[in-house]
Amino acid sequence: MALLTNGHTNGHAHFFSQDGETANIRFADIPSAIDIPVPGADIEEAVEVNLEDLPDDPTELCTLLENEAAAKNFWLVISLAYAKQHKFELAIEILNKGLAVLSRAPPKEKIGLLSLLCWLFLYKSREAPRVVPDGVLVSEARTKDFYLQAATGALNEASRVNPSFPPLFLARGILSLLRASLQPPSKTLAPGAVEQSERVETLRQALKCFDDASRVSAGRNMMAMLGKARTLFSLGRYADALECYQEVLGKMPDLQDPDPRIGIGCCLWQLSHREEAHAAWERALEINPDSKIANILIGLYYVHDSNRFSTTESGFLPIYKKAMTVYTQRAFKLDKEYPLTCATFGGYFLARQAWATVETLARKAIELTDVNAIASDGWYLLARKEHYAGPSGFPKAIEYYNRADNARGGGDRGFLPARFGAAQAQILNSDIDGAKFRLDKIIQYTKNIDAMVLLGSLYASEVFANMAAAVREDKTKEHQKATALLEAVRLAWKDPKKNIKPDTAVLICLSRLYEAEQPEKSLACLQQVFQMSLDKLPDEEKHEDIEDDDTRIARQKEHLAPQLLNNIGCFQFQMEKFDDAREAFQTGLTACIRLGEKEEDKDTDPLITTISFNLARTYEAIGLLEEAKQVYEGLLERHDEYTDARARLAYIELRQNPTVDGPKAMATLFETDAANLDVRALYGWYLSKAKRRAANIAEDQEQRHYKHTLQHYDKHDQYSLTGMGNLYLTTAREMRRDTEQDRDKRRKTYEKAVEFYLKALQLDPRNAYAAQGIGIAIVEDKKDFTAAVQIFSKIKDTVRDASVYVNLGHVYGELKQYSRAIESYEAALAKDRASDPQILACLGRTWLLKGKHEKSQSAMKSSLDYSQRALEIAPDQIHFHFNIAFVQIQLAQLLYSLPEGQRTLVEVEAAASGLDEAIESFAEIAKAKNPPYPRHDLEQRANMGRNTMRKQLERAVQQQAEYEETNKSKLARARELREAELRRREDERQAAEHAVRAEKERLARERQKLLESSRELAEKRAEEERKIEEAEWTEDSEGERVKRRRKGKGGGGGKRKKKGEDDTGDENATDGDGVGSSGRKQRRGKSTTDGSGGDGSADEKRAPRKKRRLAKKSEKKMKSSELVVDSDSEGDGAVTVGTQPTGGDTGGAFDPDALSDVEMADADNDEEEDVAVKQRQRKNISRRIDDDDDENGEQADPAPQSNGKGNIFADGDDPPTVDDAVGAAGDSDTAEY
């Protein structure tokens, strides 16, 4: 703050000077000099003190005031003069000496000095540091808390003198407000809980003090109103604070120090009205261009506005530059000690890595602020500075991050960037568990996207590290957490309200997580990265000039990352989309070439080698073995030590020449790379296919190979462990089980196999082949089919091999779940095993069991079909001949056992033919060299079929023929009855449709008649209206059409005589209002008439009609007639609304018993009143009369014409309905609206 000199008044009511500069309004009016009177002198003497040039040591002035027994006002004025020159310590010293001098004076003499002393302490607390500066002793430090305690002491002493002294209320409020700024915000509250922290209680006390100050001043103390608004703002009641600021501005629109517009803008900002807040601050800056607060707040507005763009977008820099250079820099020049400006400018210098400047500004923001949020920003700047410093600064960074978070309350109310930064520092400091705990808390409170990405990446890194470990642990939970977090982030990208752009790093991480279990999702993530990469290509690489879409996209792919194309190709290869994989690999090779041309120092050879190998593997899968060999040979020319390429060449040679060249190639490969585990695994596979089976497993060549690998190369080689398990499993399956000793030895061999499988699973819990081996051992040894089903079901999606489905089919067959077994075998056939005779034989067996279980011919026939297909593929296999013969025997037995109604003669004859074939097959199989069953058993089966079953089927054929012949007539009769029933139903349906059509035609004819009748009636009514118009209108002498003039009959006209009434009466009598005794309304002529009904001029124009709504009694079902009568007198413009009286001289009295009809007829009662008008139902009547303020010349519409029977509401000839309970004229229920 610049020093303020004395000798200039503040002006009045905060006016603005003519030159636009703001008048000084901070201190009271201090004169240039002051005269201190000298008491006791004979003549009036005084000592003049120059208040513009005050001494640095006020001792002489204090001595003078004390010796001359000066009044308290002189002490106050001199103290204020020092304070105005920013010499607050000297001002406080003067007040303390003044209090000491006035110690014996009445207490009320000291209250002014105590009040000023309290305010000076409060002012000093605003400029004092918040914490003890570095290098200063705590006992000597003058912090904010020190001055607040001093202010509390002065305020308490003043309150003891006069607790109701008005300035003390405001001082108490300010003291409580400043004390609350030093107290930490409240921690997290439970939902629905009321906050009761110390800070909130202090703010509530401040609010009460400001209310008291405003009350004693009758609402004129604007500082109290501003303090109340500031307190409400601190309590988070922004709408209430906004009202207070607006009230102050309304009462004092010229107030600018403090400026209520600043508070209004802050409240609007917190209420999410950003533009309105900006307008308020702009207005404050317009009034006072040197307002540091308005400048920095507008700067912060533009900083916030720049967040709409990323730092790399073109729209970011102009807005951010405007915020920093135009507004923040100007605010800093106005006051270099203002905390908010220091914190904002510190962020700018942090981006420029000016560490010393950041340190200075952050310390100022922390030490000088009264706002916890600004102190939090200061600690955050220091934390970021230490974070950039590297490993040596991580501990301090974490400490400063925690302080920044606690300054804003911590928990769910804390500072999110600080908590996130602390987690980052913990990760860099190798405190992964602490970082995960902190990030988990952040997500629990805020669902922050960055925190979710970081925490998901931490869990994913653990999963990836476990994948590469020699001994793997179970990281299922970490895998699930990582996937859930990153998928939540991916879902947030789709929310347009959040406006979050997708991140390729998240997608790549998700792709790696899905790679093992859900490759299709992994590929989807990579394809999304692929599309994002295409969208980000520069314009010159998009090739927009190419019209063909496929060609243009193919050219664009060449500019993408080769790694991305390679990974996409690998997943497509895994999904057996070999053509797509080949295209991806070929494009990846082209991308490598372009990358080398673009970045000459880039080594693309590793990428080219990897992608070329993958392309060759794709050629193998497609069947292009020669192309694959060319690629492998090319790789070996460039890298002769490339073992994988040599291994694939040896495998291709083995496939093409399995007898001579293939085995030589495998032997050569094994000799040159015997230490390579992949080569040893391939050679072990070759031995399993080419070896001769040994009786003793210890002499097995494959077993010795695996054992040598485990003993001398790698005891944790998973392929060797799994291969050993397979060897023991095969050996146990073929062992004898005649005696208990044989069964015990067989069981131990199974257990040995399971031990190898379990060892492989310990190394890799996802080793599906080892798990499948355990499942087979459980079935064969323990007969635990349920456990085996669970194992096979889990691994069937991992092991893409038909063996898993074959094993599932075996187990389901044992469980007698034949339908599932058939599904499993069919799935095995779909895995490129359609020509596998073993699977076809298994299907035949399962269908046979299903047919026997369900006694189903169709199942038996399916079994026979699959058995025949297996024999067609392998005709030399004698056991397939046995399977067909066995199924034919079973089918013959089934048909023989079925009743005649469930079989046909054709089926029985076919079964007999199949039986003959089976007998011949059994005889031939028995003569074979190695029959599948003993010859004696086969011969017995043939003899049984020849001697027994053939005779049974012959009898069955005869019986079936007789049955069908006997039932032939019955079947014909039943068929005729069925056809007759169907014909009858069809006839009934057609008859019903004809009746419906006839009814529709009848209704259409009636509707047409009604339409014609309505049309005729409308034409007739139109003709009648035309005749009426011709009768009413004529032509005058000038040829213009005018309405015919009616003859007057004097007075108001008579009443129509009703049945039973006397002919003599007061029919023509009228009252003063122009209403006869019958209560009927007179028709107004074309000109106004007097009471005698004289004729008017025909040339006078009719006065405009006036409308008025008649009163309507809602609670009555039936209503009486209401008459509207116009007065012919110019001075009487009133409209009278009443009910219709009865005939006779009743003096206006109403007789409800005599009321039989409601009439509203024309007073003229000429021939036109019999013409029918448009008929309306009484219930739908809604008549409105518009009121007019002009009483003179007021007219009403002429009464509507009746239907010729005295009732305009009647419908046709129906008698009217009248309410007998109507009120008399003038009642509230019948009064006009």
Side-chain angles (χ1 to χ4, degrees), residues 22-72:
T22 308
N24 178 20
I25 58 175
R26 175 61 67 177
F27 292 95
D29 183 15
I30 305 299
S32 301
I34 188 173
D35 295 332
I36 301 175
V38 179
D42 295 337
I43 59 176
E44 184 176 351
E45 295 183 5
V47 177
E48 183 180 10
V49 178
N50 186 358
L51 298 183
E52 292 183 349
D53 186 16
L54 293 170
D56 294 335
D57 186 0
T59 304
E60 290 187 19
L61 286 177
C62 294
T63 303
L64 174 64
L65 294 174
E66 181 179 0
N67 292 337
E68 302 303 332
K72 65 175 182 178

Side-chain angles (χ1 to χ4, degrees), residues 1104-1174:
R1105 298 182 178 181
K1106 303 185 68 64
K1107 299 180 179 180
R1108 180 168 299 152
R1109 184 183 297 274
L1110 298 180
K1112 189 175 182 181
K1113 296 178 67 176
S1114 60
E1115 63 271 8
K1116 300 292 186 178
K1117 291 184 179 179
M1118 305 176 184
K1119 300 180 177 64
S1120 64
S1121 172
E1122 293 178 345
L1123 304 183
V1124 180
V1125 181
D1126 290 340
S1127 174
D1128 292 338
S1129 174
E1130 293 184 357
D1132 186 7
V1135 179
T1136 303
V1137 181
T1139 56
Q1140 179 183 3
T1142 60
D1145 190 6
T1146 59
F1150 174 66
D1151 185 6
D1153 294 332
L1155 185 62
S1156 62
D1157 197 0
V1158 179
E1159 297 181 359
M1160 187 174 289
D1162 292 332
D1164 295 332
N1165 197 15
D1166 55 9
E1167 69 279 3
E1168 296 176 3
E1169 67 180 3
D1170 292 332
V1171 179
V1173 296
K1174 191 175 182 179

Side-chain angles (χ1 to χ4, degrees), residues 959-1024:
Q959 292 174 0
Q960 188 69 27
E962 294 175 357
Y963 172 79
E964 292 184 1
E965 185 66 27
T966 303
N967 291 281
K968 186 176 182 180
S969 59
K970 295 182 180 179
L971 291 174
R973 176 59 180 167
R975 190 179 299 109
E976 291 176 359
L977 293 175
R978 176 63 177 169
E979 292 175 355
E981 178 67 18
L982 292 176
R983 285 194 300 271
R984 185 185 63 79
R985 292 180 181 180
E986 179 66 18
D987 294 340
E988 290 179 354
R989 185 184 63 79
Q990 293 180 358
E993 291 179 356
H994 179 72
V996 170
R997 284 196 301 270
E999 180 66 18
K1000 288 182 179 180
E1001 293 174 357
R1002 185 186 65 79
L1003 292 175
R1005 289 194 299 271
E1006 292 182 357
R1007 190 179 296 110
Q1008 184 65 26
K1009 290 180 180 180
L1010 289 175
L1011 291 175
E1012 293 176 356
S1013 176
S1014 299
R1015 190 181 303 109
E1016 292 176 357
L1017 182 61
E1019 293 175 354
K1020 183 178 180 181
R1021 184 174 300 169
E1023 180 66 21
E1024 292 176 353

Side-chain angles (χ1 to χ4, degrees), residues 169 343 740 862 955 990 1063:
F169 292 113
E740 185 64 30
S862 297
R955 290 195 299 270
Q990 293 180 358
D1063 290 343

Side-chain angles (χ1 to χ4, degrees), residues 372-512:
N372 289 319
I374 299 177
S376 174
D377 291 339
W379 289 117
Y380 181 72
L381 289 174
L382 291 177
R384 295 288 292 163
K385 171 183 169 293
E386 297 297 335
H387 198 148
Y388 277 108
S392 60
F394 292 154
K396 279 190 175 181
I398 295 172
E399 177 187 353
Y400 292 153
Y401 280 133
N402 290 332
R403 288 192 178 187
D405 183 40
N406 293 331
R408 276 186 163 91
D412 60 341
R413 299 188 178 185
F415 193 30
L416 178 60
R419 282 181 283 166
F420 188 76
Q424 290 178 317
Q426 285 178 311
I427 294 172
L428 295 175
N429 205 29
S430 300
D431 184 10
I432 304 299
D433 292 335
K436 289 194 295 185
F437 178 79
R438 189 183 295 271
L439 290 170
D440 193 45
K441 287 294 184 182
I442 294 175
I443 296 171
Q444 181 181 351
Y445 291 136
T446 62
K447 303 295 182 185
N448 180 263
I449 298 299
D450 293 329
M452 295 170 72
V453 171
L454 185 54
L455 183 58
S457 301
L458 287 178
Y459 284 123
S461 64
E462 291 186 17
V463 176
F464 301 150
N466 185 63
M467 290 180 180
V471 179
R472 299 184 181 181
E473 301 176 0
D474 186 11
K475 294 291 183 180
T476 304
K477 291 184 178 180
E478 288 78 2
H479 189 281
Q480 293 175 350
K481 289 180 180 179
T483 305
L485 288 168
L486 297 181
E487 280 293 350
V489 173
R490 192 179 179 188
L491 184 62
W493 297 341
K494 301 178 182 179
D495 189 353
K497 296 180 180 179
K498 296 182 179 179
N499 193 22
I500 302 174
K501 294 183 178 180
D503 187 359
T504 56
V506 174
L507 293 170
I508 293 173
C509 189
L510 269 174
S511 177
R512 293 188 64 187

Side-chain angles (χ1 to χ4, degrees), residues 705-718:
H705 173 75
Y706 292 144
K707 186 176 181 180
H708 190 264
T709 301
L710 294 171
Q711 288 178 347
H712 298 91
Y713 293 96
D714 186 4
K715 64 179 181 180
H716 295 138
D717 183 47
Q718 297 184 35

